[in-house]
Coordinates of all heavy atoms in Angstrom, one line a residue:
A1 N 0.8 -1.2 0.0 CA 0.0 0.0 0.0 C 0.9 1.2 0.0 O 1.9 1.3 0.6 CB -0.9 0.0 1.2
L2 N 0.4 2.3 -0.7 CA 1.2 3.5 -0.7 C 1.0 4.3 0.6 O 0.0 4.2 1.2 CB 0.6 4.4 -1.9 CG 0.9 3.9 -3.3 CD1 0.2 4.7 -4.3 CD2 2.4 3.8 -3.6
P3 N 2.0 5.0 1.0 CA 1.9 5.8 2.3 C 0.9 6.9 2.1 O 0.7 7.4 1.0 CB 3.3 6.4 2.5 CG 4.0 6.2 1.2 CD 3.3 5.1 0.4
R4 N 0.2 7.2 3.1 CA -0.9 8.2 3.1 C -0.2 9.6 2.9 O 0.8 9.9 3.5 CB -1.6 8.3 4.4 CG -3.1 8.0 4.2 CD -3.8 7.8 5.4 NE -4.4 9.1 5.8 CZ -5.2 9.3 6.8 NH1 -5.4 8.3 7.6 NH2 -5.7 10.4 7.1
R5 N -0.8 10.4 2.0 CA -0.3 11.8 1.8 C -0.7 12.6 3.0 O -1.8 12.5 3.5 CB -1.0 12.3 0.6 CG -0.4 13.6 0.1 CD -1.0 14.0 -1.2 NE -0.4 15.2 -1.6 CZ -0.7 15.8 -2.7 NH1 -1.6 15.3 -3.5 NH2 -0.1 17.0 -3.0
P6 N 0.2 13.5 3.5 CA -0.1 14.3 4.7 C -1.4 15.2 4.4 O -1.5 15.7 3.3 CB 1.1 15.2 4.9 CG 2.2 14.6 4.1 CD 1.5 13.8 3.0
E7 N -2.2 15.3 5.4 CA -3.4 16.2 5.2 C -3.1 17.6 5.6 O -2.5 17.9 6.6 CB -4.5 15.7 6.2 CG -5.8 16.3 6.0 CD -6.9 15.7 6.8 OE1 -6.8 14.5 7.2 OE2 -7.9 16.4 7.1
R8 N -3.4 18.5 4.7 CA -3.1 19.9 4.9 C -4.4 20.7 5.5 O -5.5 20.3 5.2 CB -2.7 20.6 3.6 CG -1.4 20.1 3.1 CD -1.1 20.7 1.7 NE 0.1 20.1 1.2 CZ 1.3 20.6 1.3 NH1 1.5 21.7 1.9 NH2 2.3 19.9 0.7
Y9 N -4.1 21.7 6.3 CA -5.2 22.5 6.9 C -5.0 23.9 6.4 O -4.0 24.2 5.7 CB -5.1 22.4 8.4 CG -5.4 21.1 8.9 CD1 -4.4 20.1 9.0 CD2 -6.7 20.8 9.3 CE1 -4.7 18.8 9.5 CE2 -7.0 19.5 9.8 CZ -6.0 18.6 9.9 OH -6.3 17.3 10.4
G10 N -5.9 24.8 6.6 CA -5.8 26.2 6.2 C -4.8 26.9 7.0 O -4.3 28.0 6.6
A11 N -4.4 26.4 8.1 CA -3.4 27.1 9.0 C -2.0 27.2 8.4 O -1.6 26.2 7.7 CB -3.4 26.5 10.4
T12 N -1.4 28.3 8.6 CA 0.0 28.4 8.1 C 0.9 28.9 9.3 O 0.4 29.4 10.3 CB 0.1 29.5 7.0 OG1 -0.3 30.7 7.5 CG2 -0.7 29.1 5.8
V13 N 2.2 28.6 9.1 CA 3.2 29.0 10.1 C 4.4 29.6 9.4 O 4.7 29.2 8.3 CB 3.5 27.8 11.0 CG1 4.2 26.7 10.1 CG2 4.4 28.1 12.2
R14 N 5.1 30.5 10.1 CA 6.3 31.1 9.6 C 7.1 31.6 10.8 O 6.6 31.7 11.9 CB 6.1 32.3 8.6 CG 5.5 33.5 9.3 CD 5.1 34.6 8.3 NE 4.6 35.7 9.0 CZ 5.1 37.0 8.9 NH1 6.2 37.2 8.2 NH2 4.6 38.0 9.6
L15 N 8.4 31.9 10.6 CA 9.3 32.5 11.5 C 9.4 34.0 11.1 O 9.6 34.3 10.0 CB 10.7 31.9 11.6 CG 10.7 30.4 12.0 CD1 12.1 29.9 11.9 CD2 10.2 30.3 13.4
S16 N 9.3 34.9 12.1 CA 9.3 36.3 11.8 C 9.8 37.1 13.0 O 9.6 36.7 14.1 CB 8.0 36.8 11.4 OG 8.0 38.2 11.0
A17 N 10.4 38.3 12.7 CA 10.8 39.1 13.8 C 9.6 39.6 14.6 O 9.7 39.7 15.8 CB 11.6 40.3 13.3
T18 N 8.5 39.8 14.0 CA 7.2 40.2 14.6 C 6.1 39.5 13.9 O 6.2 39.3 12.7 CB 7.0 41.7 14.6 OG1 7.0 42.1 13.3 CG2 8.0 42.4 15.4
C19 N 5.1 39.1 14.6 CA 3.9 38.5 14.0 C 2.8 39.5 13.7 O 2.7 40.5 14.4 CB 3.3 37.4 14.9 SG 4.4 36.0 15.3
G20 N 2.1 39.3 12.6 CA 0.9 40.1 12.3 C 1.3 41.4 11.6 O 0.4 42.2 11.4
E21 N 2.5 41.6 11.2 CA 2.9 42.8 10.5 C 3.7 42.4 9.2 O 4.4 41.5 9.2 CB 3.8 43.7 11.4 CG 3.1 44.1 12.6 CD 4.1 44.9 13.5 OE1 5.1 45.3 13.0 OE2 3.7 45.1 14.7
P22 N 3.5 43.3 8.1 CA 4.3 43.1 7.0 C 5.8 43.5 7.2 O 6.1 44.0 8.3 CB 3.7 44.0 5.9 CG 3.0 45.0 6.7 CD 2.6 44.4 8.0
E23 N 6.7 43.3 6.3 CA 8.1 43.6 6.5 C 8.5 44.8 5.7 O 9.2 44.7 4.7 CB 8.9 42.4 6.0 CG 8.8 41.1 6.6 CD 9.7 40.1 6.0 OE1 10.9 40.4 5.9 OE2 9.3 39.0 5.7
P24 N 8.1 46.0 6.2 CA 8.5 47.2 5.4 C 10.0 47.5 5.4 O 10.5 48.1 4.5 CB 7.7 48.3 6.1 CG 7.5 47.8 7.5 CD 7.4 46.3 7.4
W25 N 10.7 46.9 6.4 CA 12.2 47.2 6.5 C 13.0 46.3 5.7 O 14.2 46.5 5.5 CB 12.6 47.1 8.0 CG 12.3 45.7 8.5 CD1 13.0 44.6 8.4 CD2 11.1 45.3 9.2 NE1 12.4 43.5 9.0 CE2 11.2 44.0 9.5 CE3 10.0 46.0 9.6 CZ2 10.2 43.3 10.2 CZ3 9.0 45.3 10.3 CH2 9.1 43.9 10.6
A26 N 12.5 45.2 5.2 CA 13.3 44.2 4.4 C 13.6 44.7 3.1 O 12.8 45.4 2.4 CB 12.5 42.9 4.3
S27 N 14.8 44.5 2.6 CA 15.2 44.9 1.3 C 16.0 43.7 0.7 O 16.5 42.8 1.4 CB 16.1 46.2 1.3 OG 17.3 45.9 1.9
S28 N 16.3 43.8 -0.6 CA 17.1 42.7 -1.2 C 18.5 42.6 -0.7 O 19.2 41.6 -0.8 CB 17.0 42.8 -2.7 OG 17.6 44.1 -3.1
S29 N 19.0 43.7 -0.1 CA 20.4 43.8 0.3 C 20.6 43.4 1.8 O 21.7 43.2 2.3 CB 21.0 45.1 0.1 OG 20.3 46.1 0.9
S30 N 19.5 43.2 2.5 CA 19.6 42.9 3.9 C 19.0 41.5 4.1 O 18.2 41.0 3.3 CB 18.8 43.9 4.8 OG 17.4 43.8 4.5
P31 N 19.4 40.8 5.2 CA 18.8 39.5 5.5 C 17.3 39.6 5.8 O 16.8 40.6 6.2 CB 19.5 39.1 6.8 CG 20.7 39.9 7.0 CD 20.4 41.2 6.2
S32 N 16.6 38.6 5.4 CA 15.1 38.6 5.6 C 14.8 38.6 7.1 O 15.5 38.0 7.9 CB 14.5 37.4 4.9 OG 13.2 37.3 5.1
Q33 N 13.7 39.2 7.4 CA 13.2 39.2 8.8 C 12.1 38.2 9.0 O 11.5 38.1 10.0 CB 12.6 40.6 9.1 CG 13.7 41.7 9.1 CD 14.7 41.6 10.2 OE1 14.3 41.4 11.3 NE2 15.9 41.6 9.8
S34 N 11.8 37.4 7.9 CA 10.8 36.4 8.0 C 11.0 35.3 7.0 O 11.5 35.5 5.9 CB 9.4 37.1 7.6 OG 8.4 36.2 7.6
S35 N 10.6 34.1 7.4 CA 10.6 32.9 6.4 C 9.3 33.0 5.7 O 8.3 33.7 6.1 CB 10.8 31.6 7.2 OG 9.7 31.3 8.0
A36 N 9.2 32.2 4.6 CA 7.9 32.1 3.9 C 6.9 31.3 4.8 O 7.3 30.4 5.5 CB 8.1 31.4 2.6
A37 N 5.6 31.7 4.7 CA 4.6 31.0 5.4 C 4.4 29.7 4.7 O 4.3 29.6 3.5 CB 3.3 31.8 5.4
V38 N 4.3 28.6 5.5 CA 4.0 27.2 5.0 C 2.8 26.6 5.7 O 2.5 27.0 6.8 CB 5.3 26.3 5.1 CG1 6.4 26.9 4.3 CG2 5.6 26.2 6.6
P39 N 2.1 25.7 5.0 CA 1.0 25.1 5.7 C 1.4 24.1 6.8 O 2.4 23.5 6.7 CB 0.3 24.3 4.5 CG 1.4 24.1 3.5 CD 2.4 25.2 3.6
L40 N 0.5 24.1 7.8 CA 0.7 23.0 8.8 C 0.1 21.8 8.3 O -1.0 21.8 7.6 CB -0.1 23.4 10.1 CG 0.5 24.4 11.0 CD1 -0.4 24.8 12.1 CD2 1.8 23.8 11.6
I41 N 0.7 20.6 8.5 CA 0.2 19.4 8.0 C 0.0 18.4 9.2 O 0.7 18.5 10.1 CB 1.1 18.8 6.9 CG1 2.5 18.8 7.2 CG2 0.8 19.4 5.6 CD1 3.5 18.3 6.2
R42 N -1.0 17.6 9.0 CA -1.3 16.6 10.1 C -0.2 15.5 10.2 O 0.2 15.0 9.2 CB -2.6 16.0 9.7 CG -3.2 15.1 10.8 CD -4.6 14.9 10.4 NE -5.1 13.6 10.9 CZ -6.2 13.2 10.5 NH1 -7.0 13.8 9.7 NH2 -6.6 12.0 11.0
D43 N 0.2 15.3 11.4 CA 1.2 14.3 11.7 C 0.5 13.1 12.4 O -0.3 13.4 13.3 CB 2.3 14.9 12.5 CG 3.5 13.9 12.6 OD1 3.6 13.0 11.8 OD2 4.4 14.2 13.5
E44 N 0.8 11.9 12.1 CA 0.1 10.8 12.7 C 1.0 9.8 13.4 O 1.2 8.7 12.9 CB -0.8 10.0 11.7 CG -1.9 10.9 11.1 CD -2.7 10.1 10.1 OE1 -2.7 8.8 10.1 OE2 -3.4 10.7 9.3
P45 N 1.7 10.3 14.5 CA 2.6 9.3 15.2 C 1.7 8.2 15.9 O 0.6 8.5 16.3 CB 3.3 10.2 16.2 CG 2.4 11.4 16.3 CD 1.7 11.6 15.1
A46 N 2.3 7.1 16.0 CA 1.6 6.0 16.6 C 1.2 6.3 18.0 O 2.0 6.8 18.8 CB 2.4 4.7 16.6
G47 N -0.1 6.0 18.4 CA -0.5 6.1 19.8 C -0.8 7.5 20.2 O -1.0 7.7 21.4
R48 N -0.9 8.5 19.3 CA -1.2 9.8 19.8 C -2.6 10.2 19.3 O -3.1 9.8 18.2 CB -0.2 10.8 19.2 CG 1.2 10.6 19.9 CD 2.1 11.6 19.5 NE 2.0 12.7 20.4 CZ 2.7 13.8 20.2 NH1 3.5 14.0 19.2 NH2 2.5 14.8 21.0
A49 N -3.2 11.2 20.0 CA -4.5 11.7 19.6 C -4.3 12.5 18.3 O -3.2 12.8 17.9 CB -5.0 12.6 20.7
D50 N -5.4 12.9 17.7 CA -5.4 13.6 16.4 C -5.1 15.1 16.7 O -5.9 16.0 16.4 CB -6.7 13.5 15.7 CG -6.8 14.2 14.4 OD1 -5.7 14.3 13.8 OD2 -7.9 14.6 14.0
T51 N -3.9 15.4 17.3 CA -3.6 16.8 17.6 C -2.2 17.2 17.1 O -1.9 18.4 17.2 CB -3.6 17.0 19.2 OG1 -2.7 16.1 19.8 CG2 -5.0 16.8 19.8
A52 N -1.4 16.3 16.6 CA -0.1 16.6 16.2 C -0.1 17.2 14.8 O -0.8 16.8 13.9 CB 0.8 15.3 16.2
R53 N 0.7 18.3 14.7 CA 0.9 19.0 13.4 C 2.3 19.2 13.1 O 3.1 19.3 14.1 CB 0.1 20.3 13.3 CG -1.3 20.3 13.7 CD -2.1 19.6 12.5 NE -3.6 19.6 12.8 CZ -4.2 18.6 13.3 NH1 -3.6 17.5 13.7 NH2 -5.5 18.6 13.5
Q54 N 2.7 19.3 11.9 CA 4.1 19.6 11.6 C 4.2 20.6 10.4 O 3.3 20.7 9.7 CB 4.9 18.3 11.3 CG 4.4 17.6 10.0 CD 5.2 16.3 9.8 OE1 6.2 16.1 10.4 NE2 4.8 15.5 8.8
A55 N 5.3 21.2 10.3 CA 5.6 22.2 9.2 C 7.1 22.1 8.9 O 7.9 21.9 9.8 CB 5.1 23.6 9.6
Y56 N 7.4 22.3 7.7 CA 8.8 22.3 7.3 C 9.1 23.8 6.9 O 8.7 24.3 5.8 CB 9.1 21.4 6.1 CG 8.9 19.9 6.6 CD1 7.7 19.3 6.4 CD2 9.9 19.2 7.2 CE1 7.4 18.0 6.8 CE2 9.7 17.9 7.7 CZ 8.4 17.3 7.4 OH 8.2 16.1 7.8
L57 N 9.9 24.5 7.7 CA 10.3 25.9 7.5 C 11.7 26.0 6.9 O 12.6 25.3 7.4 CB 10.2 26.6 8.8 CG 8.8 26.8 9.4 CD1 8.9 27.2 10.9 CD2 8.0 27.8 8.6
D58 N 11.9 26.9 5.9 CA 13.2 27.1 5.4 C 13.7 28.4 6.0 O 13.2 29.5 5.7 CB 13.1 27.3 3.9 CG 14.4 27.6 3.2 OD1 15.5 27.6 3.9 OD2 14.5 27.7 2.0
A59 N 14.7 28.3 7.0 CA 15.2 29.4 7.7 C 16.5 29.9 7.1 O 17.2 30.6 7.7 CB 15.4 29.0 9.2
A60 N 16.9 29.4 5.9 CA 18.2 29.7 5.3 C 18.4 31.2 5.1 O 19.5 31.7 5.2 CB 18.3 29.0 3.9
S61 N 17.3 32.0 4.9 CA 17.5 33.4 4.7 C 17.5 34.2 6.0 O 17.7 35.5 5.9 CB 16.4 34.0 3.8 OG 15.1 33.8 4.4
L62 N 17.3 33.6 7.1 CA 17.2 34.3 8.4 C 18.7 34.4 9.0 O 19.6 33.6 8.6 CB 16.3 33.5 9.4 CG 14.9 33.4 8.9 CD1 14.1 32.6 9.9 CD2 14.2 34.7 8.6
S63 N 18.8 35.3 9.9 CA 20.2 35.5 10.5 C 20.4 34.6 11.6 O 19.7 34.5 12.6 CB 20.2 37.0 11.0 OG 20.1 37.9 10.0
P64 N 21.5 33.7 11.6 CA 21.8 32.8 12.7 C 22.1 33.6 13.9 O 22.7 34.7 13.9 CB 23.1 32.2 12.2 CG 23.1 32.3 10.7 CD 22.4 33.6 10.4
G65 N 21.7 33.1 15.1 CA 21.9 33.7 16.4 C 20.8 34.7 16.8 O 20.8 35.2 17.9
M66 N 19.8 34.9 15.9 CA 18.7 35.7 16.2 C 17.5 34.9 16.7 O 17.3 33.8 16.3 CB 18.3 36.5 14.9 CG 19.3 37.5 14.4 SD 19.7 38.8 15.5 CE 18.1 39.7 15.5
V67 N 16.7 35.5 17.5 CA 15.5 34.9 18.0 C 14.3 35.4 17.2 O 14.1 36.6 16.9 CB 15.2 35.2 19.5 CG1 13.9 34.6 19.9 CG2 16.4 34.6 20.3
Y68 N 13.5 34.5 16.6 CA 12.3 34.8 15.8 C 11.1 34.3 16.5 O 11.1 33.3 17.2 CB 12.4 34.2 14.4 CG 13.6 34.8 13.6 CD1 14.8 34.4 13.7 CD2 13.3 35.9 12.8 CE1 15.9 34.9 12.9 CE2 14.3 36.5 12.1 CZ 15.6 36.0 12.1 OH 16.6 36.6 11.4
Q69 N 9.9 34.9 16.2 CA 8.6 34.5 16.7 C 8.2 33.4 15.8 O 8.3 33.4 14.5 CB 7.6 35.6 16.6 CG 8.0 36.8 17.5 CD 8.0 36.4 19.0 OE1 7.1 35.8 19.5 NE2 9.1 36.8 19.7
L70 N 7.5 32.4 16.3 CA 6.9 31.3 15.6 C 5.4 31.8 15.4 O 4.6 31.8 16.3 CB 6.9 30.0 16.3 CG 6.2 28.8 15.6 CD1 6.9 28.5 14.3 CD2 6.2 27.6 16.5
C71 N 5.1 32.3 14.2 CA 3.8 33.0 13.9 C 2.9 31.9 13.3 O 3.2 31.3 12.3 CB 4.0 34.1 13.0 SG 5.2 35.4 13.6
I72 N 1.7 31.8 13.8 CA 0.7 30.9 13.3 C -0.5 31.7 12.9 O -1.0 32.5 13.7 CB 0.3 29.8 14.4 CG1 1.6 28.9 14.6 CG2 -0.8 28.9 13.9 CD1 1.3 27.8 15.6
D73 N -1.0 31.4 11.7 CA -2.2 32.0 11.2 C -3.2 30.8 11.1 O -3.1 30.0 10.2 CB -2.0 32.6 9.8 CG -3.2 33.4 9.4 OD1 -4.3 33.3 9.9 OD2 -3.0 34.2 8.4
V74 N -4.2 30.8 12.1 CA -5.0 29.6 12.2 C -6.0 29.4 11.0 O -6.4 28.3 10.7 CB -5.8 29.6 13.5 CG1 -4.9 29.4 14.7 CG2 -6.7 30.8 13.6
D75 N -6.3 30.5 10.3 CA -7.2 30.4 9.1 C -6.5 30.7 7.8 O -7.1 30.8 6.8 CB -8.5 31.2 9.3 CG -8.2 32.6 9.5 OD1 -7.0 33.1 9.5 OD2 -9.2 33.4 9.6
G76 N -5.2 30.8 7.8 CA -4.4 31.0 6.6 C -4.5 32.4 6.1 O -5.2 33.3 6.6
A77 N -3.8 32.7 5.0 CA -3.7 34.0 4.4 C -5.1 34.6 3.9 O -5.3 35.8 4.0 CB -2.7 34.1 3.3
S78 N -5.9 33.7 3.5 CA -7.2 34.1 3.0 C -8.3 34.3 4.0 O -9.4 34.8 3.8 CB -7.7 33.1 1.9 OG -7.9 31.9 2.5
G79 N -8.0 34.0 5.3 CA -8.9 34.2 6.4 C -8.9 35.6 7.0 O -8.2 36.4 6.6
T80 N -9.8 35.8 7.9 CA -10.0 37.1 8.6 C -9.2 37.2 9.8 O -9.0 38.4 10.3 CB -11.5 37.3 8.9 OG1 -11.9 36.3 9.7 CG2 -12.3 37.4 7.6
R81 N -8.7 36.1 10.4 CA -7.9 36.2 11.7 C -6.5 36.6 11.4 O -5.9 36.1 10.4 CB -8.0 34.9 12.4 CG -9.4 34.6 12.9 CD -9.3 33.3 13.7 NE -10.6 33.0 14.2 CZ -10.9 32.0 15.0 NH1 -9.9 31.2 15.4 NH2 -12.1 31.8 15.5
L82 N -5.9 37.4 12.3 CA -4.5 37.7 12.2 C -3.6 36.6 12.8 O -4.1 35.9 13.7 CB -4.2 39.1 12.9 CG -4.9 40.3 12.4 CD1 -4.6 41.5 13.3 CD2 -4.4 40.6 11.0
E83 N -2.4 36.5 12.3 CA -1.5 35.5 12.9 C -1.1 36.0 14.3 O -1.1 37.2 14.6 CB -0.3 35.3 12.0 CG 0.6 36.5 11.9 CD 1.8 36.3 11.0 OE1 1.9 35.2 10.4 OE2 2.6 37.2 11.0
G84 N -0.7 35.0 15.1 CA -0.2 35.3 16.4 C 1.0 34.5 16.8 O 1.3 33.5 16.1
S85 N 1.7 34.9 17.8 CA 3.0 34.2 18.2 C 2.6 33.0 19.0 O 1.8 33.1 20.0 CB 3.9 35.1 19.0 OG 5.0 34.4 19.4
A86 N 3.3 31.9 18.7 CA 3.1 30.6 19.5 C 4.4 30.3 20.3 O 4.5 29.3 20.8 CB 2.8 29.5 18.6
G87 N 5.3 31.3 20.3 CA 6.6 31.1 21.0 C 7.8 31.6 20.2 O 7.6 32.3 19.2
E88 N 9.0 31.4 20.7 CA 10.2 31.9 20.1 C 11.1 30.8 19.6 O 11.1 29.7 20.2 CB 11.0 32.8 21.1 CG 10.2 34.0 21.5 CD 11.0 34.9 22.5 OE1 11.9 34.3 23.2 OE2 10.8 36.1 22.5
V89 N 11.8 31.0 18.6 CA 12.8 30.0 18.0 C 14.1 30.7 17.8 O 14.2 31.8 17.2 CB 12.2 29.5 16.7 CG1 13.3 28.6 16.0 CG2 10.9 28.8 16.9
L90 N 15.2 30.1 18.3 CA 16.5 30.6 18.1 C 17.0 30.0 16.8 O 17.1 28.7 16.7 CB 17.4 30.3 19.2 CG 18.9 30.6 19.1 CD1 19.2 32.1 18.9 CD2 19.7 30.0 20.2
V91 N 17.4 30.8 15.8 CA 17.9 30.2 14.6 C 19.4 30.0 14.7 O 20.2 30.9 15.1 CB 17.7 31.2 13.4 CG1 18.4 30.7 12.1 CG2 16.2 31.4 13.2
T92 N 19.8 28.7 14.5 CA 21.2 28.3 14.6 C 21.7 27.5 13.4 O 20.8 27.0 12.7 CB 21.5 27.4 15.9 OG1 20.9 26.2 15.6 CG2 20.9 28.0 17.1
P93 N 23.0 27.4 13.2 CA 23.4 26.6 12.0 C 23.4 25.1 12.3 O 23.8 24.3 11.5 CB 24.8 27.1 11.8 CG 25.3 27.6 13.1 CD 24.0 28.1 13.8
I94 N 22.8 24.7 13.4 CA 22.7 23.2 13.8 C 21.7 22.6 12.8 O 20.7 23.1 12.6 CB 22.3 23.1 15.2 CG1 23.3 23.7 16.2 CG2 22.0 21.6 15.5 CD1 22.8 23.8 17.6
V95 N 22.1 21.4 12.3 CA 21.3 20.8 11.3 C 20.6 19.5 11.8 O 19.7 19.0 11.2 CB 22.0 20.4 10.0 CG1 22.5 21.7 9.3 CG2 23.2 19.6 10.3
A96 N 21.0 19.0 13.0 CA 20.3 17.8 13.5 C 20.5 17.8 15.0 O 21.5 18.2 15.6 CB 21.0 16.5 12.9
V97 N 19.4 17.3 15.7 CA 19.4 17.2 17.1 C 18.8 15.8 17.5 O 17.8 15.4 16.8 CB 18.5 18.3 17.8 CG1 18.4 18.1 19.3 CG2 19.1 19.6 17.4
T98 N 19.3 15.2 18.5 CA 18.7 13.9 18.9 C 18.5 14.0 20.4 O 19.3 14.4 21.1 CB 19.7 12.7 18.6 OG1 20.0 12.7 17.2 CG2 19.1 11.4 19.0
P99 N 17.3 13.7 20.9 CA 16.1 13.2 20.2 C 15.5 14.4 19.5 O 15.7 15.5 19.8 CB 15.2 12.7 21.3 CG 15.6 13.5 22.5 CD 17.1 13.8 22.4
M100 N 14.6 14.0 18.5 CA 14.0 15.0 17.7 C 12.8 15.7 18.4 O 12.4 16.8 18.0 CB 13.5 14.4 16.4 CG 14.7 14.0 15.5 SD 14.2 13.3 14.0 CE 13.4 14.7 13.2
A101 N 12.3 15.2 19.5 CA 11.1 15.8 20.2 C 11.6 16.5 21.4 O 12.6 16.2 22.0 CB 10.2 14.7 20.6
V102 N 10.9 17.5 21.7 CA 11.2 18.3 22.9 C 10.1 18.0 24.0 O 8.9 18.0 23.7 CB 11.1 19.8 22.6 CG1 11.3 20.6 23.9 CG2 12.1 20.2 21.6
R103 N 10.6 17.6 25.2 CA 9.7 17.2 26.2 C 9.0 18.4 26.8 O 9.7 19.4 27.0 CB 10.5 16.4 27.3 CG 9.6 15.8 28.4 CD 10.4 15.1 29.4 NE 11.2 14.0 28.7 CZ 11.0 12.8 29.1 NH1 10.3 12.4 30.1 NH2 11.7 11.8 28.5
R104 N 7.7 18.3 27.1 CA 7.0 19.5 27.6 C 7.2 19.5 29.1 O 7.2 18.6 29.8 CB 5.5 19.4 27.3 CG 5.2 19.7 25.9 CD 3.7 19.8 25.8 NE 3.4 19.9 24.4 CZ 2.3 20.3 24.0 NH1 1.3 20.6 24.8 NH2 2.0 20.3 22.7

């Protein structure tokens, strides 16, 4: 059987210096203040309730060593709700961490 394709939702997520605002200060000669918004997709780990979501963010254009907001837009770009911060992320040049999950 073929693996199931991840289910996408309207919600999007991105890393940004501030949530809910455009980037008027960004220019082509300066590092970006935000990653592109990407969809949240449903993750189905064994034995977990239907609450896990994942997103793959490209932080290559962000400045290493800077702290960015994890901005979530629950109804996506076409919705009426503004995005909000779900926490902070430190951008580092680290490419792998074990274990991959963070204990709450």
Side-chain angles (χ1 to χ4, degrees):
L2 294 173
R4 242 173 94 173
R5 188 173 182 182
E7 187 175 334
R8 295 177 186 261
Y9 292 85
T12 59
V13 62
R14 69 184 181 120
L15 296 176
S16 182
T18 57
C19 295
E21 298 178 13
E23 299 182 46
W25 58 84
S27 71
S28 59
S29 63
S30 66
S32 177
Q33 297 293 310
S34 176
S35 67
V38 297
L40 280 174
I41 45 182
R42 187 166 150 189
D43 190 16
E44 297 183 16
R48 294 187 84 185
D50 183 28
T51 58
R53 303 289 182 265
Q54 65 182 352
Y56 296 95
L57 295 163
D58 181 0
S61 66
L62 303 179
S63 299
M66 298 293 297
V67 174
Y68 292 89
Q69 299 296 311
L70 179 63
C71 304
I72 296 182
D73 188 346
V74 296
D75 59 358
S78 61
T80 57
R81 294 183 176 184
L82 295 176
E83 69 180 2
S85 178
E88 295 180 336
V89 175
L90 172 65
V91 174
T92 71
I94 297 170
V95 294
V97 176
T98 303
M100 292 179 64
V102 177
R103 189 178 297 241
R104 286 187 189 196

